[in-house]
Amino acid sequence: MPGSSLEGDLRSLGFDVRVSPGADRTAELLAEVPGADRVAVVDARFVGHVHSLRLALTDPRFPAAAVPGALTVQPAGRAALTRALARAGEPDTARAAAGAPAAISSDTVLPDVLAQGVETDGTPVHRPDLGSLVATVPGDPQARNEARQAVLAVDDEAVRLRSSVKARDGFFTTYCVSPYSRHIARWCARRGLTPNQVTTASLITALIAAGFAATGTRAGFAVAGLLLLLSFVLDCADGQLARYSLQYSTMGAWLDATFDRAKEYAFYAGLALGAARAGDDVWALALGAMVLQTCRHVVDFSFNEANHDAVSNTSPTAALSDKLDSVGWTVWVRRMIVLPIGERWAMIAVLTAVTTPRIVFYALLVGCGFAACYTTAGRLLRSLTRKATRTERATRALAELADSGPLAETVARAARPLARRLPAIAPPVIALLGGGALAATAALSPYGSLWPLLAAVGYVLTSGLAVARPLGGALDWLVPPAFRAAEYGTILALAARADVDGALPAAFGLVSAVAYHHYDTVYRIRGGTGAPPQWLVRVIGGHEGRILAVALLAALVTATDFTIALTALAVVVALVVLVESIRFWVSSAAPAVHDEGEPA
């Protein structure tokens, strides 16, 4: 193999190549490699595309990966590989003295044997879908020639570029952005730029767009719309760059998971500031749009976590959905109806450039409201008609998404005997009634009234009762979004009732900080590490504690002091949550979570 194209391919992928005549020597060479390094074993007869090797040998997300004729393991799988090599080499040493037949012959593909051994040892081996790419170890000259012809027949760079685009994306992203953003991703890869750098550039571009929107001028709005579209193009390019170059990382997962929301909500704030400069106060609309959008996401997350590993799914609604997916045009219509990020940002950008912030927010509220009704109705039908057993992991995830603080937990412990006697539908009904009563009381009562405070006390009781037993019912996934709507909606209503300058912007800041905590919780759960530490939930009070604190402030202090208190509370929550979140996501224990479908 020295001097061959295979050696050059492996070196181009960052590997230091060593040649081994057999399993025994392979074990010796691998033992010389530091334990913290990734290693790979490739058959010298391998024929295939460079991108086949790249997919198998350089993807950092898996402890072990293989294609025919090639295997790689991360440090976590090195011990399993050593044991597999020992078993493979056994017939060549100890058994040979006893006259036993050798298990490893000249025709044996050692990497394939080792991959099976590593998997048998308990380390999962990822096998990437190669599609039209070639990866094989030919057994004779004719097969080798046929394999080489198959390699020449497929342009692996074109395949690599196509595969950098998500398999499932929205209509606008698929047809209006990805055809050129993937070329931007390749341009970035060839110049050594990382996905995190592109993600950061997307954030900076969106923040500059928000700044232009905040000017309140027609030219500022037009530039803001263009920059928001550019930010979205970069947002697509960062993920495509990660897939193109297989540069997946924990930090990239965190940035990708949080920056989309930060960009969109910062732009909402910029529009509200710009409208205020023009004499139009739309802070209530901006906060309402953020509340609606965040609650939509919580519905998505909660439903998906509740059904993430369901034992079975026999819902007729799910079967109908799968049937509709077989009809091409219905797929695009259904994806556009839910107003995913591509369509939504395009609408925001165009309306910002040609209309007013008020119209932008009206369109957002109507469009997102319709999308929320459509998706929630479908999920309700699926939940009511499916026959499945919810797993313990699902009930635990819903409990973590509920974000219950010490007050609700105390009530839950006391109410457990009562909760066991309630019907299955009780938890979501109690959560919805308690939250609805609280938000309505806050919206209808004058500022300074004691009624919202009394309603908040009642909410503490109902929220504790709603989670007093495991959330394993068919509709229990509604409990976390009901809590989010109650908390965000109550803060909005109390700030609006204060009716003083700065109250709604302060409420916007508080809801932003709390929403970040809830998004952070979701991505931790999806990564398999569970919710944030309990001390964090207790320090920031849980949803019921924060509502009680805000309602108490509204009852006791003047409207002006209420604004100051909301601002201080927002700063404290943001600081505590961000410090813990950053600590977690930059730690080695943090999971790498990458979306492969366009989020709503």
Side-chain angles (χ1 to χ4, degrees):
M1 187 177 74
S4 68
S5 61
L6 177 58
E7 180 181 13
D9 292 343
L10 291 171
R11 292 191 185 280
S12 73
L13 297 177
F15 288 96
D16 186 13
V17 180
R18 295 288 184 271
V19 180
S20 168
D24 291 341
R25 179 57 180 156
T26 300
E28 294 173 3
L29 290 172
L30 290 176
E32 296 172 1
V33 181
D37 292 349
R38 169 200 289 266
V39 296
V41 180
V42 182
D43 194 295
R45 299 164 295 176
F46 176 89
V47 175
H49 289 99
V50 179
H51 194 48
S52 297
L53 290 172
R54 182 181 292 108
L55 289 172
L57 305 183
T58 66
D59 194 328
R61 295 174 296 174
F62 309 103
V67 292
L71 166 71
T72 185
V73 295
Q74 299 270 30
R78 290 280 297 273
L81 177 60
T82 300
R83 289 189 290 270
L85 271 167
R87 291 192 296 271
E90 206 172 40
D92 296 326
T93 55
R95 283 172 136 190
I104 300 295
S105 67
S106 59
D107 295 329
T108 301
V109 181
L110 180 59
D112 295 354
V113 174
L114 295 179
Q116 184 177 1
V118 168
E119 203 158 33
T120 302
D121 202 74
T123 299
V125 177
H126 170 67
R127 291 177 169 80
D129 181 9
L130 298 180
S132 59
L133 296 175
V134 176
T136 185
V137 178
D140 56 67
Q142 180 180 350
R144 188 173 188 82
N145 182 61
E146 291 174 352
R148 284 174 172 170
Q149 295 301 317
V151 170
L152 294 175
V154 176
D155 182 352
D156 71 336
E157 176 58 26
V159 172
R160 183 184 181 189
L161 192 60
R162 285 197 304 271
S163 62
S164 68
V165 179
K166 286 179 182 177
R168 186 180 186 277
D169 235 332
F171 181 88
F172 178 79
T173 305
T174 300
Y175 291 105
C176 300
V177 177
S178 290
Y180 57 89
S181 63
R182 57 187 171 186
H183 294 282
I184 296 174
R186 180 168 62 180
W187 183 90
C188 293
R190 291 176 174 176
R191 283 152 184 80
L193 296 176
T194 66
N196 292 352
Q197 291 171 329
V198 179
T199 301
T200 303
S202 174
L203 174 67
I204 293 172
T205 303
L207 294 178
I208 294 173
F212 273 99
T215 63
T217 64
R218 175 49 49 201
F221 288 141
V223 173
L226 290 173
L227 288 176
L228 187 64
L229 286 177
L230 175 59
S231 175
F232 182 68
V233 172
L234 293 174
D235 182 59
C236 294
D238 68 356
Q240 291 163 358
L241 173 58
R243 285 182 287 274
Y244 180 85
S245 58
L246 299 180
Q247 295 184 70
Y248 300 103
S249 68
T250 294
M251 179 61 74
W254 177 62
L255 295 177
D256 185 61
T258 57
F259 278 13
D260 280 352
R261 307 286 81 82
K263 289 181 287 189
E264 184 168 356
Y265 298 157
F267 195 80
Y268 290 1
L271 286 174
L273 288 170
R277 286 178 176 271
D280 187 13
D281 186 357
V282 297
W283 275 106
L285 296 176
L287 181 50
M290 182 170 69
V291 169
L292 177 58
Q293 188 60 25
T294 304
C295 289
R296 278 187 64 198
H297 288 143
V298 176
V299 168
D300 294 342
F301 296 141
S302 187
F303 177 81
N304 291 335
E305 286 303 320
N307 297 280
H308 175 74
D309 51 3
V311 174
S312 63
N313 187 353
T314 56
S315 165
T317 310
L320 175 61
S321 178
D322 293 339
K323 187 175 181 179
L324 287 174
D325 282 345
S326 65
V327 183
W329 66 270
T330 65
V331 174
W332 294 117
V333 170
R334 290 162 65 212
R335 290 185 189 176
M336 294 173 69
I337 284 176
V338 300
L339 205 62
I341 187 171
E343 279 76 357
R344 190 170 67 252
W345 281 31
M347 180 186 74
I348 293 171
V350 171
L351 291 179
T352 297
V354 300
T355 65
T356 66
R358 181 173 289 273
I359 292 177
V360 173
F361 288 124
Y362 282 155
L364 272 172
L365 289 168
V366 172
C368 291
F370 177 79
C373 292
Y374 170 78
T375 55
T376 304
R379 284 164 180 161
L380 284 170
L381 287 174
R382 288 192 182 203
S383 299
L384 291 171
T385 56
R386 70 189 290 269
K387 298 177 181 179
T389 301
R390 184 151 293 149
T391 65
E392 182 181 348
R393 177 197 181 279
T395 58
R396 183 172 62 253
L398 290 180
E400 292 168 341
L401 287 172
D403 191 32
S404 298
L407 295 177
E409 289 178 345
T410 301
V411 173
R413 284 192 295 270
R416 201 156 287 150
L418 172 62
R420 293 194 186 99
R421 297 194 296 270
L422 295 176
I425 194 66
V429 170
I430 292 171
L432 289 167
L433 289 177
L438 171 64
T441 302
L444 298 175
S445 302
Y447 181 80
S449 170
L450 289 177
W451 285 112
L453 178 59
L454 295 175
V457 173
Y459 177 78
V460 171
L461 299 176
T462 58
S463 61
L465 182 58
V467 296
R469 69 185 188 199
L471 297 176
L475 297 179
D476 284 0
W477 57 269
L478 286 170
V479 172
F483 289 163
R484 299 296 83 79
E487 180 178 5
Y488 302 159
T490 299
I491 294 172
L492 167 59
L494 291 174
R497 278 297 184 179
D499 197 24
V500 295
D501 291 341
L504 282 168
F508 190 96
L510 177 57
V511 171
S512 298
V514 175
Y516 176 86
H517 165 61
H518 291 141
Y519 282 117
D520 187 52
T521 300
V522 165
Y523 281 97
R524 294 195 197 205
I525 293 172
R526 288 177 59 180
T529 61
Q534 194 61 36
W535 69 261
L536 177 65
V537 177
R538 292 181 180 279
V539 166
I540 61 176
H543 67 98
E544 81 289 350
R546 290 187 296 270
I547 284 181
L548 188 61
V550 172
L552 182 63
L553 288 170
L556 298 180
V557 303
T558 65
T560 301
D561 290 340
F562 181 65
T563 299
I564 297 172
L566 283 182
T567 304
L569 186 58
V571 171
V572 170
V573 171
L575 284 176
V576 173
V577 169
L578 279 172
V579 168
E580 161 55 21
S581 177
I582 293 171
R583 181 210 62 78
F584 172 80
W585 286 103
V586 300
S587 70
S588 59
V593 182
H594 296 270
D595 281 325
E596 290 304 320
E598 185 173 54

